């Protein structure tokens, strides 16, 4: 029995006279050639790109009863090929061809071909430029959903890229915002690594953009603050300030009770679920958050300046709230699990984490009201083991003091739903 003919040899048999196969330059030179099941019939097709008479062409070969034949040929764009691949974008058993036609030194124009009515059609209308491309199943499930999304990285300045994720939907390509929490972890890691080498307002801005897409609002708020610290912030001071304001809707304290709160920084809660955090809360309170219709808000903040962040969690729901406020808890992560540091009742948001400390931990300031008592701001101080449970019986912050620190869980509860679990 003779040796099986390779896809390269098959493809060359159908090249026009004087045509040459195109080479992909990165990550190492190789022929622009692939084999995949492009029509879902269980038989592999061969696709490749050749150069002929000053133009690039995509050629697709199929197997018939009497051998291979040309199923379709498409004239390409640009002067070369930056990338060539195949992935199931619309149907799990039908692969689409993705070609990055090179139109500049770091720019390509995307084409996505699909088998329809005996031929191939480019699904990308107009031009879709990119500098780098990721094609992968970004569904957050353990095995994905079998369909691939496309992340396009467009060069901006320096080593910065504008990143967007698309999928092939019913009406063509659409933004795949539901996979942001899965994919943008990679973008966040990229800019975090970059910032360890280059302290740049541009990179802080793009790190904040990735963190916003991940739902990490408090971290994004910090990144925007770092971007604003430069003499010439990117993209502009006004735009950064608009982003900063959009990250958190809150009602600031304004010299209430004769106390100066003008220097506070306000931070809204995180929006990404933390399953280990939920398990620790349910174990401490002996109820299921979803069954009791309880939503939660949380922030990570280093309370004892040891470089490890504690977690302050504010619970909202009929079982944990009353006229005087709601319940809250502080947890520490130890050996991969959360341990309870303190519990609170009668808490109202936001909670101020002061810059002053007592016995190694930052003082908390909580607004106390309701239940027929006169409202005031309570000083809640660490006693060496924990914080006191009930802020309503703690000392008052006296008029004339200036409070400096961070107001966490600053969300406007009328507008913010926090993290709410549904009963399955």
């Amino acid at each position: 029995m003779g040796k099986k003919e390779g896809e390269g040899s098959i493809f060359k048999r159908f090249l026009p006279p004087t045509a040459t196969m195109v080479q992909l330059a990165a990550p190492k030179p190789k022929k622009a050639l692939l084999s995949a099941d492009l029509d879902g019939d269980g038989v592999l097709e061969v696709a490749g790109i050749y150069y002929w008479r000053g133009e690039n062409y995509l050629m697709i070969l199929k197997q018939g009863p009497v051998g291979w034949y040309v199923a379709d040929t498409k004239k390409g764009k640009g002067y070369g090929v930056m990338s060539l691949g195949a992935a199931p974008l619309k149907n799990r058993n039908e692969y689409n061809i993705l070609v990055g036609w090179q139109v500049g030194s770091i720019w390509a124009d995307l084409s996505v071909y699909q088998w329809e009515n005996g031929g191939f059609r480019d699904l990308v209308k107009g031009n879709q430029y990119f500098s780098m491309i990721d094609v992968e199943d970004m569904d957050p499930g353990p095995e994905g959903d079998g369909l691939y999304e496309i992340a396009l990285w467009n060069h901006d300045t320096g080593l910065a890229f504008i990143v967007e994720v698309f999928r092939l939907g019913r009406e063509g390509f659409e933004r795949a915002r539901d996979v942001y929490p899965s994919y943008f972890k990679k973008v966040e890691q990229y800019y975090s690594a970059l910032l360890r080498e280059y302290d740049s307002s541009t990179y802080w801005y793009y790190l904040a953009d990735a963190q916003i897409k991940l739902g990490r609002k408090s971290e994004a708020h910090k990144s925007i603050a770092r971007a604003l610290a430069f003499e010439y912030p990117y993209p502009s001071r006004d735009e950064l300030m608009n982003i900063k304001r959009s990250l958190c809707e809150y009602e600031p304290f304004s010299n209430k009770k004769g106390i100066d709160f003008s220097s506070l920084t306000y931070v809204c809660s995180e929006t990404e679920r933390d399953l280990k955090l939920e398990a620790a809360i349910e174990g401490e309170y002996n109820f299921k958050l979803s069954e009791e219709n309880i939503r939660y808000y949380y922030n990570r903040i280093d309370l004892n300046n040891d470089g490890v962040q504690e977690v302050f969690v504010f619970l909202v729901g009929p079982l944990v709230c009353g006229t005087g406020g709601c319940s809250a808890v502080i947890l520490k992560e130890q050996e991969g699990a959360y341990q309870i540091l303190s519990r609170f009742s009668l808490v109202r948001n936001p909670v101020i984490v002061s810059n002053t400390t007592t016995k190694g931990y930052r003082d908390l300031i909580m607004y106390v009201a309701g239940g027929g008592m006169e409202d005031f701001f309570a000083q809640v101080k660490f006693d060496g083991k924990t914080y006191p449970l009930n802020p309503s019986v703690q000392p008052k912050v006296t008029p004339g003091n200036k409070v400096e620190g961070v107001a966490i869980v600053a969300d406007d509860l009328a507008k913010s739903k926090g993290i709410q679990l549904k009963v399955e």
Side-chain angles (χ1 to χ4, degrees):
M1 183 178 291
K3 184 179 179 181
K4 184 178 179 181
E5 187 176 12
E7 60 186 24
S9 299
I10 295 169
F11 192 81
K12 286 180 180 179
R13 286 200 277 118
F14 293 90
L15 289 176
T18 71
T20 57
M21 293 189 66
V22 170
Q23 294 277 331
L24 297 172
K28 60 181 180 180
K30 66 175 183 178
K31 292 184 175 66
L33 189 69
L34 61 81
S35 59
D37 184 0
L38 304 175
D39 58 4
D41 64 354
V43 179
L44 298 181
E45 283 72 42
V46 172
I49 299 171
Y50 64 84
Y51 180 79
W52 185 56
R53 294 182 178 178
E55 303 284 356
N56 292 305
Y57 293 87
L58 170 69
M59 181 169 65
I60 300 99
L61 307 176
K62 289 179 66 67
Q63 291 189 69
V66 295
W68 290 93
Y69 67 94
V70 177
D72 205 353
T73 302
K74 296 295 182 185
K75 185 177 178 181
K77 311 172 189 177
Y79 61 85
V81 180
M82 184 180 289
S83 62
L84 172 67
L89 303 181
K90 194 171 184 178
N91 300 304
R92 292 177 180 83
N93 60 340
E94 295 180 14
Y95 280 64
N96 299 88
I97 301 173
L98 299 93
V99 185
W101 302 104
Q102 190 146 19
V103 295
S105 59
I106 58 168
W107 291 101
D109 195 355
L110 179 65
S111 288
V112 178
Y113 297 96
Q114 181 166 301
W115 177 259
E116 292 181 359
N117 302 318
F120 285 84
R121 180 170 71 92
D122 188 353
L123 302 178
V124 179
K125 297 178 181 179
N127 302 106
Q128 182 66 70
Y129 299 113
F130 67 91
S131 305
M132 299 190 299
I133 186 171
D134 269 342
V135 184
E136 58 187 69
D137 185 351
M138 301 176 194
D139 186 270
E143 297 181 1
D145 65 357
L147 297 177
Y148 283 52
E149 285 77 28
I150 302 170
L152 299 181
W153 294 55
N154 288 287
H155 182 258
D156 182 11
T157 182
L159 297 173
F161 295 84
I162 303 168
V163 182
E164 190 51 85
V165 182
F166 301 91
R167 70 158 50 88
L168 184 57
R170 292 182 179 180
E171 304 300 324
F173 283 94
E174 58 191 35
R175 281 182 168 82
R177 292 185 175 89
D178 59 304
V179 299
Y180 282 177
S182 171
Y183 186 76
F184 273 88
K185 291 177 182 176
K186 178 184 293 188
V187 183
E188 182 186 37
Q189 290 167 359
Y190 171 80
Y191 285 108
S192 294
L194 205 55
L195 282 161
R196 286 195 286 271
E197 295 187 53
Y198 310 101
D199 190 21
S200 160
S201 178
T202 303
Y203 303 153
W204 282 113
Y205 163 72
Y206 279 112
L207 175 62
D209 179 71
Q211 289 166 335
I212 290 168
K213 289 181 169 70
L214 287 169
R216 295 166 54 82
K217 291 190 293 185
S218 66
E219 296 303 318
H221 194 280
K222 296 173 188 175
S223 297
I224 291 294
R226 294 293 298 271
L228 281 165
F230 287 77
E231 183 178 1
Y232 300 105
Y234 182 93
S236 70
R237 187 168 299 278
D238 285 345
E239 186 166 345
L240 289 172
M241 288 302 298
N242 286 336
I243 295 171
K244 186 177 179 180
R245 284 188 288 268
S246 72
L247 289 174
C248 188
E249 294 187 69
Y250 60 88
E251 186 67 33
F253 296 120
S254 178
N255 294 325
K256 300 184 76 169
K257 302 292 181 180
I259 304 165
D260 184 357
F261 293 111
S262 61
S263 297
L264 288 179
T265 298
Y266 292 82
V267 179
C268 281
S269 62
E270 301 282 359
T271 60
E272 191 174 8
R273 284 186 65 184
D274 187 323
L275 299 181
K276 290 195 299 182
L277 194 63
E278 292 170 15
I281 294 167
E282 291 176 343
E284 175 67 16
Y285 284 90
N286 196 29
F287 57 54
K288 290 288 185 182
L289 295 168
S290 58
E291 292 177 0
E292 300 298 340
N293 193 28
I294 293 172
R295 63 186 190 272
Y296 68 96
Y297 301 76
Y298 74 96
N299 285 109
R300 302 179 190 278
I301 188 163
D302 187 358
L303 295 174
N304 60 348
N305 298 314
D306 66 350
V308 179
Q309 292 180 318
E310 285 72 38
V311 187
F312 185 95
V313 184
F314 183 64
L315 301 168
V316 178
L319 190 65
V320 292
C321 294
T323 57
C326 297
S327 296
V329 62
I330 296 175
L331 305 98
K332 292 177 66 73
E333 189 168 9
Q334 296 178 341
E335 299 180 354
Y338 288 107
Q339 306 294 328
I340 302 297
L341 176 67
S342 299
R343 282 179 61 162
F344 305 93
S345 61
L346 305 179
V347 178
R348 293 177 179 271
N349 77 308
V351 172
I352 299 169
V353 180
S354 172
N355 288 346
T356 62
T357 62
T358 300
K359 297 187 177 179
Y361 276 76
R362 295 171 70 175
D363 299 334
L364 305 180
I365 296 175
M366 298 183 180
Y367 180 59
V368 177
M373 70 180 75
E374 181 184 354
D375 63 320
F376 68 99
F377 287 89
Q379 302 179 59
V380 183
K381 298 185 177 185
F382 195 72
D383 66 7
K385 293 183 178 180
T386 187
Y387 288 94
L389 172 69
N390 186 352
S392 70
V393 295
Q394 300 307 308
K396 297 179 181 179
V397 180
T398 56
N401 277 313
K402 182 174 183 177
V403 175
E404 296 182 330
V406 179
I408 60 173
V409 193
D411 311 59
D412 181 344
L413 299 189
K415 299 178 180 178
S416 175
K417 295 181 179 178
I419 299 175
Q420 189 167 13
L421 309 183
K422 295 180 180 179
V423 179
E424 298 296 335

